[in-house]
Amino acid sequence: MASAEEATSWRLVFSDSEENSKSPPVAQFHTTQTSSAAKGYPADRDALALPAMPSTNLWVNERGKIILEALGDAADTVESEESDGQIGILLKHKKTGTIIHRMLRVGDSGTADFADFNSTDDIVLNTSYYVRLGAYTVPDGYMATLDAGQPVYLYLGDDTA
Amino acid sequence: MAKRRMSAAQRAKLRRRLEALRRKHRLGEFQTKKARKAPKTRKKRTMAKRKVGRRKSGLMSGLGRPVVAGVTYAFVQPFVSQFLSRFNIGIQDELAQILAAVVLKQMVKNPIVTNYANAAIIVNTASLASGFASRFTQGATAQAPQTEVNVIG
């Protein structure tokens, strides 16, 4: 089965553990930037053309969430098993200050870090407002922020017969 | 013993010799005009002169200067951080900010820039040091989260 890319705007938002208090978007991209399949570059140069993660002075505390949201260019459905992505974040251990660079995997492959979008989950997008795809929960004892400067990759797709 | 009398020829010879010596050493009638003495220069001060500094007033006096530096840093830091994020050097953000502040301070001689650079060096050095210091205080909660003003959750 082939995968068709869905053109979407997507963003990252920080929130508390209950998703009651949300930050403004800390990073915002479109899949034409972050999805190498949509680019006109040769395949061996795709990775060089990915945008860099911006910096932010916002941190999300332990057990808080990094939420992935998407706004479709058309009313499409995206499927986690047809999607893939790598989003770099920084984890800081609160007691020791140790910094850890972590690459969150979007979709079903690899560490499948975004809950609710990591196990053949289908999400219906619309063109009016951002829809929640999934969320990564910051582990106990850590704070998280964006890993500024790291290349950002996200491909959202669905199944086509 | 009787005093030996000098002949006239001897006296003349002696006189000529004396005259030659006086001419040579510029004595007597051959003395030249005395050189004018150089005017007396001012006495050299040996003790350091007391510096009278210009007293600054308003925002740049006393506590005003660190406050201005802090406010400048707060406004400028996000832009600098955004700019530095383009360079994936592989060192900590705080270290990159310190290096950038030192370079900026050397290159641009401007009071606003100096204020920002001083504040950036102090704040980021403290942030780095807190990470090291916390390793020596076993069991104590690190102050790092409290220094982060914008924390969600």
Side-chain angles (χ1 to χ4, degrees):
Chain A
M1 284 184 286
S3 172
E5 185 185 0
E6 304 298 346
T8 63
S9 301
W10 64 272
R11 68 188 188 186
L12 293 170
V13 171
F14 292 167
S15 82
D16 61 350
S17 57
E18 279 86 36
E19 298 189 33
N20 290 328
S21 168
K22 290 185 183 178
S23 73
V26 291
Q28 198 153 350
F29 299 95
H30 193 279
T31 48
T32 51
Q33 294 175 283
T34 62
S35 166
S36 59
K39 292 188 182 297
Y41 288 95
D44 61 336
R45 292 184 65 79
D46 282 344
L48 301 175
L50 294 172
M53 183 68 82
S55 72
T56 179
N57 62 348
L58 284 177
W59 288 79
V60 53
N61 211 346
E62 56 182 345
R63 294 185 289 275
K65 292 182 181 177
I66 300 176
I67 302 172
L68 178 65
E69 297 179 342
L71 171 71
D73 287 5
D76 293 319
T77 301
V78 290
E79 301 176 16
S80 64
E81 68 274 21
E82 301 297 338
S83 302
D84 192 17
Q86 291 175 9
I87 294 171
I89 63 163
L90 213 101
L91 291 172
K92 178 156 62 170
H93 194 252
K94 290 166 73 169
K95 285 193 176 176
T96 62
T98 307
I99 299 288
I100 298 169
H101 293 266
R102 178 85 200 271
M103 201 59 95
L104 302 181
R105 288 294 299 273
V106 179
D108 293 7
S109 307
T111 45
D113 294 302
F114 284 85
D116 301 326
F117 197 67
N118 59 358
S119 182
T120 64
D121 295 305
D122 296 351
I123 307 288
V124 179
L125 300 181
N126 63 71
T127 58
S128 303
Y129 54 87
Y130 277 85
V131 172
R132 180 187 184 284
L133 295 182
Y136 166 77
T137 302
V138 180
D140 288 356
Y142 289 89
M143 297 167 65
T145 190
L146 303 179
D147 196 352
Q150 288 295 324
V152 178
Y153 168 56
L154 181 62
Y155 172 101
L156 295 173
D158 72 350
D159 227 359
T160 55
Chain B
M1 195 172 170
K3 192 177 179 180
R4 193 183 288 179
R5 285 185 181 273
M6 206 183 282
S7 67
Q10 278 178 321
R11 271 203 291 275
K13 190 179 176 183
L14 202 61
R15 203 179 296 116
R16 283 197 298 275
R17 204 172 162 192
L18 283 172
E19 192 182 334
L21 283 169
R22 284 202 306 277
R23 187 183 281 115
K24 181 183 175 182
H25 295 289
R26 294 192 181 170
L27 299 170
E29 67 271 33
F30 302 108
Q31 206 170 27
T32 54
K33 224 175 179 181
K34 281 184 185 172
R36 273 182 81 180
K37 276 188 182 174
K40 204 174 181 182
T41 55
R42 282 186 195 163
K43 202 175 174 182
K44 198 173 179 183
R45 287 173 188 260
T46 52
M47 195 181 276
K49 197 174 178 183
R50 189 176 189 178
K51 285 182 187 171
V52 181
R54 276 178 292 166
R55 282 191 186 163
K56 292 177 183 168
S57 62
L59 282 172
M60 298 307 277
S61 68
L63 278 175
R65 211 165 171 185
V67 170
V68 169
V71 171
T72 310
Y73 173 76
F75 278 104
V76 174
Q77 194 269 344
F79 299 104
V80 173
S81 185
Q82 184 95 11
F83 175 73
L84 288 176
S85 70
R86 294 178 194 175
F87 308 102
N88 193 11
I89 307 167
I91 59 174
Q92 275 183 279
D93 288 340
E94 286 90 346
L95 206 53
Q97 296 240 10
I98 290 168
L99 292 172
V102 169
V103 168
L104 207 60
K105 203 174 168 181
Q106 296 294 325
M107 284 173 56
V108 182
K109 301 289 181 189
N110 175 278
I112 297 171
V113 171
T114 307
N115 278 336
Y116 162 78
N118 289 337
I121 291 167
I122 291 167
V123 169
N124 288 290
T125 305
S127 180
L128 273 178
S130 71
F132 289 114
S134 62
R135 289 181 199 170
F136 298 103
T137 52
Q138 295 282 339
T141 306
Q143 295 302 309
Q146 294 175 12
T147 62
E148 303 294 344
V149 185
N150 300 309
V151 179
I152 308 291

